Amino acid sequence: MIREQVKSAQVTAMKAGDKERLAAVRLILAKLKDRDIELRTATSVPDDDVVVVDVLQKMVKQRRESIDMFKNGGRDELAAKEQAELDVIESFLPTQLTEDETKAAIEGIKAEVGAESVKDMGKVMAVLKERHGSVIDMSKASGLVKAALS
């Protein structure tokens, strides 16, 4: 479903002559093709939307890190280019949970698995990723889980 949205966005960007959006969409499609090639030899292939969301989340993380590095290096024009790509990539991701919704999900899972200390963080993170991996930024969730278990 998300893959079809990306492909139709490519056609739309071509017709509109939007070169920046087209370049970003082509980057997404290239990463998806790379991931498809990797999965050819896999024993179990996850659902297509799971694969696409995973690729998009990795791309978002890379862009955010690049933006920070460019801003620290005084390269605002490159940071702006990365930000434009980030906006396009995020437009295809499912709506992310807010911080309060994430905390509520963490509390529910914490109670469910009986987590009481930081030693149980792995259990909570595994269940959180399984249930909400596509709608939660797992790097931010990690900090929230650690805080909830401290």
Side-chain angles (χ1 to χ4, degrees):
M1 171 125 173
I2 299 173
R3 189 182 298 259
E4 286 79 28
Q5 291 174 344
V6 175
K7 288 179 181 178
S8 68
Q10 180 184 22
V11 173
T12 305
M14 279 186 207
K15 288 181 180 178
D18 188 351
K19 292 181 181 179
E20 289 80 21
R21 184 169 176 82
L22 179 61
V25 171
R26 284 183 172 160
L27 277 173
I28 294 169
L29 289 171
K31 289 287 185 186
L32 289 173
K33 183 123 180 127
D34 289 345
R35 187 61 183 267
D36 290 343
I37 291 168
E38 288 174 22
L39 291 174
R40 284 183 190 165
T41 58
T43 54
S44 65
V45 179
D47 182 47
D48 189 52
D49 275 353
V50 172
V51 171
V52 174
V53 167
D54 185 48
V55 168
L56 292 175
Q57 286 177 334
K58 285 180 182 176
M59 291 178 76
V60 164
K61 182 179 179 191
Q62 290 170 340
R63 296 305 175 287
R64 286 187 177 140
E65 290 171 355
S66 297
I67 289 168
D68 289 341
M69 287 191 295
F70 286 140
K71 284 184 178 178
N72 291 338
R75 300 295 307 266
D76 293 333
E77 71 283 355
L78 293 175
K81 182 178 182 275
E82 291 287 318
Q83 183 62 49
E85 286 181 8
L86 177 64
D87 294 340
V88 173
I89 295 166
E90 285 181 332
S91 71
F92 296 109
L93 280 171
T95 305
Q96 300 291 297
L97 294 180
T98 65
E99 189 170 331
D100 291 335
E101 292 170 330
T102 303
K103 286 179 181 178
I106 290 169
E107 288 301 321
I109 292 170
K110 185 175 123 179
E112 182 181 317
V113 298
E116 297 176 5
S117 69
V118 180
K119 291 179 183 177
D120 300 319
M121 186 170 170
K123 294 178 193 174
V124 175
M125 289 297 291
V127 175
L128 189 66
K129 182 167 180 135
E130 179 184 322
R131 292 187 189 162
H132 305 288
S134 64
V135 292
I136 290 180
D137 181 355
M138 293 308 287
S139 59
K140 290 179 184 174
S142 176
L144 295 173
V145 169
K146 187 178 268 187
L149 293 174
S150 296

